[in-house]
Amino acid sequence: QVQLRESGPGLVKPSETLSLTCTVSGDSIGFYYWTWIRQPPGKELEWIGYIYNSGSTHYSPSLKSRVTISVDTSKNQFSLKLTSVTAADTAVYYCARDLGGSSNWFDPWGQGTLVTVSS
Amino acid sequence: DIQMTQSPSSLSASVGDRVTITCRASQSISTYLHWYQQKPGKAPKILIFAASSLQGGVASRFSGSGSGTDFTLTISSLQPEDFATYYCQQSYSTPYSFGQGTKLEIK
């Protein structure tokens, strides 16, 4: 059974960098697309981007200038970095598996981690 | 970017009711449309993929239909565990996008 778990600081100061890691168990991170999605409190879901083929990436244009997704295949983990954060980046951040190809839906998801941007 | 619009935004219904939620895309997305259920404090869970395919392990009272720009999620007979928020998501083109959600509440 594939499981994903997010980890990282729950509080980040404005203008600093948000860094999260997703640990994957039960599947090899060398396959599929590995995705970050976020959900501001009380709002809808927002796709951030994905990494696949152990290094190729694709980001949402609205975040592209500030986002980096990377992978550590030796640890079966992938990571998110979001620079120059503001209060608008406060959200629950989810990692998820995207089967890729023409099957770009998300399953399973991690449990999510709340990141608050505040001084 | 493709905009996804769900209706209604909220819905009150009773156990046993038949419920339909609608999702409309701002352009044709074929059947690249998926439905999720989210309960408070939990991650979304896939229910229906490719507009009408039921994910394994999901109750058969859930069904999806549609293609092009208009899609529906139907719950044939509401159960207590179905009260949640439902989201549609398009994967026709990036950036992938979600609807704003439909909150299904107990009447």
Side-chain angles (χ1 to χ4, degrees):
Chain A
Q1 181 183 0
V2 181
Q3 293 186 319
L4 290 79
R5 180 172 52 85
E6 305 89 351
S7 59
L11 181 64
V12 181
K13 289 182 168 55
S15 79
E16 296 191 344
T17 296
L18 179 158
S19 296
L20 296 174
T21 296
C22 182
T23 301
V24 179
S25 58
D27 199 357
S28 170
I29 206 163
F31 302 112
Y32 305 122
Y33 292 32
W34 302 95
T35 299
W36 287 98
I37 295 162
R38 69 180 183 178
Q39 185 173 35
K43 295 188 177 181
E44 66 195 65
L45 298 152
E46 179 183 17
W47 177 79
I48 298 171
Y50 58 60
I51 190 164
Y52 65 104
N53 283 346
S54 299
S56 300
T57 54
H58 193 77
Y59 303 132
S60 173
S62 66
L63 296 169
K64 186 176 183 178
S65 63
R66 298 194 292 130
V67 169
T68 302
I69 299 176
S70 59
V71 67
D72 185 337
T73 54
S74 67
K75 295 182 179 178
N76 228 37
Q77 295 176 333
F78 63 107
S79 298
L80 170 71
K81 289 191 187 300
L82 183 65
T83 62
S84 304
V85 297
T86 69
D89 296 309
T90 294
V92 175
Y93 285 77
Y94 295 100
C95 58
R97 183 182 66 174
D98 171 347
L99 295 176
S102 60
S103 305
N104 299 102
W105 59 86
F106 310 117
D107 178 63
W109 298 54
Q111 83 280 5
T113 188
L114 175 62
V115 179
T116 300
V117 178
S118 175
S119 56
Chain B
D1 296 4
I2 298 174
Q3 309 302 317
M4 307 301 294
T5 304
Q6 289 181 232
S7 60
S9 296
S10 64
L11 176 59
S12 293
S14 301
V15 172
D17 284 354
R18 180 183 180 89
V19 166
T20 297
I21 297 169
T22 297
C23 179
R24 175 164 289 176
S26 60
Q27 65 180 74
S28 178
I29 59 171
S30 184
T31 57
Y32 292 92
L33 188 284
H34 322 295
W35 290 98
Y36 300 85
Q37 177 193 68
Q38 185 178 35
K39 296 184 178 179
K42 300 293 187 182
K45 167 191 166 186
I46 184 77
L47 298 175
I48 302 284
F49 61 90
S52 60
S53 296
L54 191 68
Q55 176 72 347
V58 174
S60 58
R61 62 182 178 273
F62 291 94
S63 64
S65 65
S67 66
T69 60
D70 294 316
F71 302 86
T72 59
L73 172 71
T74 299
I75 310 172
S76 60
S77 178
L78 272 175
Q79 298 302 300
E81 61 268 30
D82 299 337
F83 292 95
T85 300
Y86 293 84
Y87 292 94
C88 60
Q89 175 239 327
Q90 67 81 18
S91 63
Y92 181 81
S93 65
T94 58
Y96 301 139
S97 49
F98 294 84
Q100 82 280 14
T102 296
K103 187 173 184 179
L104 182 52
E105 299 174 307
I106 301 173
K107 184 182 287 185

